[in-house]
Amino acid sequence: MATGAFADRGADLELVGIQKRFPGFTAIEHLDLVIPAGSFFALLGPSGCGKTTTLRLVAGLEDPTDGRILIGGQDVTTQKAYQRPVNTVFQSYALFPHMTVLENVAFGLRRRKITDAVAKAHEALRLVELDHLAARKPVQLSGGQQQRVALARAIVNRPALLLLDEPLGALDLKLRRQMQLELKNIQEEVGLTFLHVTHDQEEAMTMADTVAVMNKGMIEQMGSPELLYELPRTAFVANFLGQSNLFTGPVVGETSTSIAVDVAGRSIVVPKARSHRHGGDVTIGVRPEKLSLHRDLPAPDSASNVLGPGRVTDVSFTGVSTQYLVAVPGLGTLVVFEQNRSAGPIEGEGDEVWVTWNVEHGFGLDDDPAAQTEKFVADTTTQSLAAQRRADLLTELEEA
Amino acid sequence: MATGAFADRGADLELVGIQKRFPGFTAIEHLDLVIPAGSFFALLGPSGCGKTTTLRLVAGLEDPTDGRILIGGQDVTTQKAYQRPVNTVFQSYALFPHMTVLENVAFGLRRRKITDAVAKAHEALRLVELDHLAARKPVQLSGGQQQRVALARAIVNRPALLLLDEPLGALDLKLRRQMQLELKNIQEEVGLTFLHVTHDQEEAMTMADTVAVMNKGMIEQMGSPELLYELPRTAFVANFLGQSNLFTGPVVGETSTSIAVDVAGRSIVVPKARSHRHGGDVTIGVRPEKLSLHRDLPAPDSASNVLGPGRVTDVSFTGVSTQYLVAVPGLGTLVVFEQNRSAGPIEGEGDEVWVTWNVEHGFGLDDDPAAQTEKFVADTTTQSLAAQRRADLLTELEEA
Amino acid sequence: STGTAAKPTAAADKSDSEKTLRWDNWALYIDVDDAGNYPTLEAFTAETGIKVEYTEAVDDNNTYYGKVKDQLALGKDIGADTVCLTDWMVGRLARFGYLQELDHANIPNLANLLPTLKDVDFDPGRALSVPWQGGFAGICWNKEKFPDGIGSVEELWSTPELKGRVGVLSEMRDTMGLIMLDAGVDISGDWGDDEFTAAIDVLKKQVSDGQVRNIKGNSYKEDLVNGDSLAAIVWSGDIVQLNAENGDKWGFVVPEKGGTIWNDNFVVPIGSAHKANAEALIDYYYDPAVAAEVAAYVNYITPVAGAKEAAMEIDPELAENQLIFPDDATLAKAKVFRTLTGAEEQTYGAQFQSILLGA
Amino acid sequence: MIPIAYTFVFSFNDSLKSNITWRGFTLDKWLNVCAVQNGAVCEAFGNSLLIGAVSTVLATTLGTMIAIALVRYRFKFRAGTSLLLFLPMATPEVVLGAGLAAQFLSLGVPKDMLTIILAHTMFCISFVVVTVKARVAGLDPALEEAGRDLYGSPAQVFARITFPLLLPGILAAALLSFALSFDDFIITNFNSGAVTTFPKYIYISASRGIPAEANVIASAVFILALVIVVTAQVSAAARAKRQARLG
Amino acid sequence: MAFAAFASTAAPPTDAPPRRRSPVALLLLLPGILYLVLFFLAPLVSLVLTSLQAPSEFGDIGQYSYAFRWENYVVVIEQYWPHILRSFGYALTATVLALLFSYPLAYFIGVTTRRWPLLQSLMLVLVIAPFFISFLLRTLAWKQILSDESFLVTSLKAVSLLAPDAHLTGTAFSVIFGLTYNFIPFMTLPLYTTLERLDLRYLEAGNDLYASPVQVFRKVTIPLSMPGIVAGTLLTFIPAAGDYINASRDFLGGADTQMIGNVIEANFLVLLNYPAAAALSIILMTVILVIVGVYVKRSGTEELL
Ligand SMILES: Nc1ncnc2c1ncn2[C@@H]1O[C@H](COP(=O)(O)OP(=O)(O)OP(=O)(O)O)[C@@H](O)[C@H]1O
Ligand SMILES: Nc1ncnc2c1ncn2[C@@H]1O[C@H](COP(=O)(O)OP(=O)(O)OP(=O)(O)O)[C@@H](O)[C@H]1O
Ligand SMILES: [Mg+2]
Ligand SMILES: [Mg+2]
């Protein structure tokens, strides 16, 4: 029971075979997940993939259709929200508009009849550097400040598990980066287990110990940010977490350490250790920042893959780096990032270039290349929204 | 007059000595601006700096307190909004909720009694790939789709000038990048003059021919994205447009091509051509991606600045690159970006490193270092918001 | 929607233990002094120890009936121990058995009741009701506009200057009574559908021609004051009062061909537990001196013999007023509208209402 | 506005029994409102206040409950319930009044204060539901969820979150229902029996000339309402100002 | 304030439809629904029964017994169809007039005065003010103001705007005038609540897309304030159709301006013809329901329910 007790450290969260169906729509198909105590776990995925639903299930605001939820080894599936040692920072903050900042923060403590609620609330506000605004009402705060109050309101309860639902979604880039740092610091300071939901990949990667990429109610891949980025398992992950150049073709050669894939007549080598499939048609890829551009055909080198010649079709300066689009006949367009060490772009539009990369940087996906991957995340969401609205209406009509 | 005529190409926009006062608040102090016909112009700045106000003045939705507005050489200052050959994609889209997508897009054409309104509207919808949703109401669309409808609704009128007020603000990163490309393509295709407002610096830099950074109702700097990024004139621009490492100190040496600045006992050299001030106290800077890290003290080299030794205090993997924070005693913390050419970070936390950069990459600001520059844009905004709210209330009371 | 259920039985009388009486009456129908007290009532309380709660709850026979009929049908208390209602309504209540029989032994002063009122067709022998005040319905006119006066119903119809400025009462028996009298029908006598229908046709024509615009209940007085009506069929007592308030502006006459006379009568509703107290009250007001005091104030016709003499002592001019103490000649012109049967009440009422409703 | 001014002006009329012609200025009527006719005006006014208050409390309670259920829960006969709520608003008052009167009659309920209160509560419920429903719909469910998340039991969440947040809507509903009840004449007239309310008093007196005291009371209510609203607004503005200064 | 009451129509659409089923719902609903069933539905049923009663055999006036006399309906329609038509005609005219008057007023309060909250609430108070003075008193005041010898009428006659023998009281004019006046707050408040939330950015978008102010009003403002217009017209039309005070001969009406409410009253109180009164009530209600149903369907604002 949560009442009266502060968690002295985070607790494990375990989801076993979770399924969640809404009338006419299955939000989560089958979910197994273990989050070790004290870790910062990020759940990443496109809009509508079921992130919020997962959090709500953990918080007890929604009941799973099937499956079990364990916190610190204890089955809490049937516990009510207010009985679980879990707190949430809501996507919309959900600060109580009729209470002051201080009352908001003290709310949970008061409900649990913890002595010293006010002192503890002040302490939490000091942690987020907002103690001087304790007497204000939420509407009188800026978005960033509201977000910090929501955080304080959750943290003050020292829950075994803290759920964060895109708490930074509404902030602009600069403020967002600043808040990310603070959040990470707080987590390290209090040692709680954080389950952080976001659809910003950069945020997920910089903050989390472990990232899980979710798609259509399933976890596509899970692991450290580096692992996911460097070795994506599926095309979805490869494209959702950063950009990728992907090629599909049959495996035509094999050594003890690597495979060679034929892509439109060219052979591309990928280390076996970095490829999930070793035979048949495979999709392989490489990240744009791993590519180098050359004006002349580089000397053949077994440690490198070479593609070209291609033509630079677009150069765009993004500040830190420059993005080149290189059209290689038969292969399509490659994306190349070049850090702006020197001032200005090196190649111009229309230049003929060769693209090379270290064999060690390629990766091979687990996907079956025959299966289609969708292109427009947004359109899918809209369609599913529309489908769901229809379903809702039908249920309503049924009942009437 | 706009009636009946399609602009065959964009027109120049000229703002002459524009000032805008609201009761109790001056939103725009003094603004002169020329946007050449057919260009893609981005107005960038923090929240509340007057971007929307500028657009509204151009659109005729607000009257300037002082100054003149010329479109294609013609003074339109006294024309009503509906008489100006200008269209706006609103920050909030402002799609008419009671009309279908098609009716929304055809609205402007119908008002101008243009024949074939429906056919033209369909064509515009095809351009944004939404023709299949023509019969829907706006609420039935996702955010990204609404945004495209708003764009179609404006473009279909072929205005001499198209104003875009953060049209991508609500989209998630992936969709946003996708829409940026589309927008740019459309602009190139139709050849109109685009005036695009945003507070996303990356968006501004990748899309625009010319970027203007606005702050507190004034334009701080204006020019090509590369110019602004590589040679910021003020600390505000240096920090708002990407990140910068800035140092302040007196000029202690001078050659024909460069100056040497003493920063906490170390001498840093900056090319004269890249520095706005050549004497007294100056602030100089360098971009994080221009810095290199070295485990050992590099050999002295007149082409490079060297700082160190420092200690790596934080390493964060962001996918494309890794961000290092290096604390150099007496100088504070430097930010260094290293593109992830090899897998994984090169240096670890706690490592002792030297930082170098090519002298050619430094820049010197025009700012007077004595004047304080704010550190937290967000907090300033909040304060100014509060101040303004107070002012608002006072005016209200006065009037009542 | 009350069925023809068994008639309710009278409540047990508690007058011996409860010295209270609740009296519902029409507005401005009793003497009031400047402080807003009722002198005669106070005297009554002083004399008998019975506290009277006097309420001006009757604004219209129909609405009052509408308010209390359900309780009456159930034999329950209606919130009043005695109430003054007009003849025809008393007739209806009597038919339905909603009234308690009065014990004449408790009302010795009843001997002072004017002989003409002792035996009425709706209540033979006055077993259930005793008159409180009465009045004429006649014609009044604005003396400023018509110095020569308007003497008959016929003139109301035929004077062109009166077009749209004629008022009649929404009280069927008065308006129809005057019209029938004008046509030479004896309304107390034995008339039937033909006579009534003929009169209805007259009224209908005048209304549809626009000669008659205002068909009102008590609010006809405002029309006279604000000029919407320049001449009207009205009740005598009101005119005395209006003239007093607005300067002697209106003339009144009981037409040569006849006017109606009516009385409002004390009755004790079936659910009242204070009948004896009510009888004491009636007895008190049948003292000619008290009756004269009331008459001096309300200006209606008192049914108490000897009141005129008593009034002489208060104010001789008052005693001469034909509208308060009518002489035999005036009385001879005034007729009582005969009691209608239930069926007649229904059909005649419907015919009259259909004019009021403009159908 | 003109009739209000008229009413106000004539409340100073030095009238006798009826208040039709202007007879000169006096303050007497304001000073001795309750004196006339043994305080019949004041009694009617008091009845109206009492009826308004009781039926407001009843209607607001019942209506708020329904509104919450309608917005927050899904149940069978939802459409039926909505219709049942809409019907009284769509039913002319005469029909409501006559129907209820007949009902009381056949149930043998004598008409008095109670029947008026029952009648008023009935027609006020719908208006309350509509008002509060809007408020409930505008209430972010996330707030209640946040309450539950922060260890608030259902009862605590209602008492500390839901209710305070609905309060403005509930108050507006209460005010509306009081105004409707206070000003209702038609339904009252059918169901009042011998009890007189303020509008009914006026209706009854209309036939014999309304005493200036009625104008006094009406004007007083009007002025009182005006003062209350203006004070509320001004103090809200002042509060906002104070808070802005704090900010 | 009371005006918030009319927010119904402008309520933001609940993005998440209610999904929970719970016994709590029943608990919340039951008392209120029971109350309505008892004091609204049951009377309605007995009203229907009453409307089918026949006069009791040998019964006196006002005495009826239960039957199924459907002819009652035919009889009252035959007898009172002019009143029924007149009621709806007057109500419709008054509704239109009230709308014409209220829309600019509500627009002024809801949009123009947005920047001066104090002025806005003051204006609102003035609109709601009539609620606090009995509408009977206000109507009576009009009766005086419009009477034949009043300043208004005599001056109108003096400038020949009114024929010398014309009247105002007791005519259709004054009844409709009274109806309009009395129901203006009911029209203004819902209009205000929608207009107050009207997003001016839509108007700007209209301006930006070459619509002149008039066109913006027609194509954008009006459609967007439709919920308020519907709510306002219903709140005006329904009670106006059933009103019997304004048309009463004792107030502003005359014999040929009697509305169905007056007929019901006369049958109920004077003629004691309860079946006729009940039948007329049912007819009135049915017609209103049908009109409202069609209207709401056609204006596409079903959620109003
Ligand atoms: N109560 C519900 N009834 C029916 N469908 C629902 C319900 N709640 C959510 N859904 C659907 O389930 C899916 C997952 O929703 P969820 O809110 O978990 O997405 P999300 O990943 O948090 O998206 P976002 O990034 O937009 O917040 C969506 O398609 C949504 O429409
Ligand atoms: N009508 C107005 N009255 C008073 N002040 C105003 C008004 N409109 C805008 N302002 C103020 O003018 C300043 C500039 O506003 P503007 O909307 O142009 O900012 P912006 O740069 O578009 O900001 P954002 O990025 O948040 O959209 C702000 O401080 C704002 O509060
Ligand atoms: Mg979500
Ligand atoms: Mg803006």
Side-chain angles (χ1 to χ4, degrees), chain A residues 239 289 339 341 361 376, chain B residues 174 178 289 339 341 361:
Chain A
N239 276 319
E289 74 275 9
Q339 181 163 0
R341 269 286 148 75
H361 291 161
F376 288 105
Chain B
K174 198 159 180 78
Q178 189 181 316
E289 74 275 10
Q339 181 163 0
R341 269 285 147 74
H361 291 160

Side-chain angles (χ1 to χ4, degrees), chain A residues 172, chain B residues 20-28 45-56 62 91 165-166 197-199 214 217 381 384-385 388 392, chain E residues 115:
Chain A
D172 76 18
Chain B
K20 177 65 189 174
R21 288 217 185 97
F22 290 112
F25 188 80
T26 302
I28 293 177
S47 188
C49 72
K51 305 182 295 293
T52 298
T53 306
T54 308
L55 285 205
R56 291 171 58 81
E62 209 86 67
Q91 195 162 9
D165 194 354
E166 305 208 33
V197 155
T198 177
H199 59 215
M214 204 168 174
T381 318
S384 69
L385 272 178
Q388 194 214 320
D392 275 4
Chain E
R115 278 188 291 152

Side-chain angles (χ1 to χ4, degrees), chain A residues 22-23 25 27 46-53 91 166 199 384-385 388, chain E residues 19:
Chain A
F22 290 114
F25 188 78
S47 189
C49 72
K51 305 182 296 293
T52 299
T53 307
Q91 196 160 9
E166 305 207 32
H199 58 217
S384 69
L385 272 178
Q388 193 213 320
Chain E
R19 295 198 178 86

Side-chain angles (χ1 to χ4, degrees), chain B residues 250-268:
Chain B
V251 174
V252 291
E254 183 170 359
T255 70
S256 62
T257 57
S258 62
I259 54 171
V261 179
D262 175 83
V263 180
R266 294 170 178 88
S267 169
I268 300 178

